[in-house]
Amino acid sequence: MTIDCLVLGAGQEVGKSCVVVTINGKRIMFDCGMHMGYLDHRRYPDFSRISASRDYNTVLSCVIITHFHLDHIGALPYFTEVCGYNGPIYMTYPTLALAPLMLEDYRKVMVDRRGEAEQFSNDHIMECMKKVIPVDLKQTIQVDEDLQIRAYYAGHVLGAAMFYAKVGDAAMVYTGDYNMTPDRHLGAAQIDRMQLDLLITESTYATTIRDSKYGREREFLKAVHNCVASGGKVLIPTFALGRAQELCILLDDYWERMNLKIPIYFSAGLTVQANMYYKMLISWTSQKVKETYTTRNAFDFKNVQKFDRSMIDAPGPCVLFATPGMISGGFSLEVFKRWAPSKLNLITLPGYCVAGTIGHKLMSGKPTKIDLDKDTQIDVQCQIHQLAFSPHTDSKGIMDLVKFLSPKHVILVHGEKPKMVTLKERIHSELGIPCHDPANNETVSISSTLSIKAESSSMFIQSCSTPNFKFLKRNLNDKINSKELSSKEGGTSSMFFRRRSNPHVKHLNRNLDEKFDSSLSCGPELEVSDDRVNEGILVMENGKKTKVVHQDELLLLLGEQEHEVRFANCSPIYFGSLDDTHVMDCISRKSLWLSQLSSKLSSELSDRNVQNFGEYLQVESFTLSICSKESCPYRTTNRIENESAAAFYCCSWLVADEVLAWQIISILEKHDLSST
């Protein structure tokens, strides 16, 4: 069985996350985002690749959204209300609460303020959200008879979740965005250890190892304080949900300690509205926020005020949080145009910026001019400060998660191609796990392993612990490197004795050591092994647990008697002239011939135990006797070349010893026993 992963977005790029995974006939779309750096057809994933007929309800089992950021949910209303998908959509309760705010804010910015063609309306957003089935953390959801999913805490932003999906015995995890270290308002990602065929992980900071959180916070506070102390204005372009709350907690606490009276502003009502949800969903925040909630709500910011658009040119220092992040448009771009020409002001970029945005241009090197369009050029004289306050995990966090989960395969998404290549090589070389980094619209197919959980019967377990000694004689003339034998097999006594490391043969080893230590210079080498490879039967009954039983138990379970199928053969064998034995009676001749046969087979089959029981010989299930029947039903021929020197032997064996049987028959046919 294979798992096919079609990457429709975030393949070797950061933006429009969308991965369609097919597991044993079930097809899941993980995330349905838009690209913040494009305004043309590249903004949305190419949904036609899922179904040429655009019959998405038939081909998709469900859609799973990991969190409310637009690069993970921005295309969802378009996919449901314009493209026509009506199937189940799963996301956490906080994501369901906050996603409409983010989507409507984006719609207003792009349509009402920039005059773009409307991709989806407010009604589309509301109708889309009605299709959502909310899930709680670690709640197992049975999507249908075969597919089950489960959400795990991802940190990153409020309500973000990693999702586990299982179909039959194939299992995988899609991380979305996550953070492996806690911050001031969210905890670190948490997930159970599981047996996975596949892990699909974000790789935004594939090669970055961050400094300590406290060092980054001090650097940020110092830059902000220096700017406002000099009379400048600080613009912090950030999305209204996530880093805004993290940095507001940090600045509010610092303002209290330093007794600063300089105003801190939110740019719009969206953040105020979002803070209300943060207060309501306190159980999804960090442990520290939850512990102090009864005495003080961390989201009641004493020093943060609402900002009015008319205050852009007001004199005096201030700190302003403006949306959207990355300065990709909206109010943050409007403020940037007005404040960028002043050397007193500061633009601080707290997180990752997608290529194509003004934030990315500022981070790539301090420009003096930025062309907004063919008619607009921005004069950039302000200070630029970049700081990694991103809610994404760094390369160490990614490696820690991959090592913890130890999947059979890894697929990297949501990252820059050169950095993904480096991380891919690290995962393969350091962890020995095959890793892939597909581009957009590429499909990766991996094989999944079929495994079955089964109980074991007491008889089967007992049979597994029964010793299975084998004794092998070797000629002393054989050149054996005793050091090599000792290191490979665990033996330490002498070159004449090689043993396996098994607690059940320790006593035997000790006795044999004493025996052979006194005769190192003579006698054959004796190799003792205890190979315990046992055979059981897998029993699967309706309504009962799968069980491995001993073969003797199967007949009892079926209520049947034992039947044994044996193969038989009767062939001539030559012992030389019968003159010397004609005076013997029939019984004596048979005994003599069996003794000769036993010696010959023991010589040829040195690794087998040939037993002579007087009436017949036995090697494993193979039995051999002298045939006295004039007309034997198993005889292959009644013609013999030399009747005075021939007799017939009968043999039989079980199918399990078929190879051994034909080996013995070949020995008897090829060798003349007259000299034995």
Side-chain angles (χ1 to χ4, degrees), residues 343-361:
K343 294 182 179 180
L344 288 177
N345 298 335
L346 168 69
I347 310 297
T348 181
L349 300 159
Y352 184 88
C353 292
V354 172
T357 62
I358 293 195
H360 186 269
K361 293 176 182 178

Side-chain angles (χ1 to χ4, degrees), residues 518-588:
S518 62
S519 56
L520 293 179
S521 59
C522 62
E525 178 198 2
L526 181 64
E527 180 180 321
V528 182
S529 65
D530 183 12
D531 293 324
R532 303 186 188 185
V533 178
N534 213 339
E535 293 183 357
I537 298 172
L538 187 67
V539 178
M540 304 174 72
E541 296 182 84
N542 288 335
K544 295 184 179 181
K545 291 184 177 180
T546 305
K547 196 171 188 177
V548 179
V549 301
H550 190 272
Q551 56 187 6
D552 294 343
E553 294 179 276
L554 183 61
L555 293 174
L556 295 175
L557 290 173
L558 298 177
E560 298 289 339
Q561 293 183 348
E562 182 177 1
H563 296 272
E564 190 176 79
V565 178
R566 296 185 69 88
F567 295 91
N569 182 54
C570 184
S571 299
I573 187 166
Y574 296 88
F575 292 98
S577 175
L578 299 180
D579 294 341
D580 298 334
T581 60
H582 74 279
V583 296
M584 295 183 179
D585 58 28
C586 182
I587 296 176
S588 298

Side-chain angles (χ1 to χ4, degrees), residues 12 17 35 55 77 112 114 154 181 200 224 243 252 265 352 385 423 438-439 455 459 506 520 541 573 600 667:
Q12 299 178 3
S17 287
H35 199 295
D55 184 9
D112 296 349
R114 294 182 59 167
T181 55
I200 303 178
V224 171
R243 289 312 90 187
D252 199 52
Y265 295 114
Y352 184 88
H385 184 258
L423 180 61
E455 296 180 345
M459 183 182 290
K506 282 187 176 178
L520 293 179
E541 296 182 84
I573 187 166
K600 189 66 178 177
I667 293 171

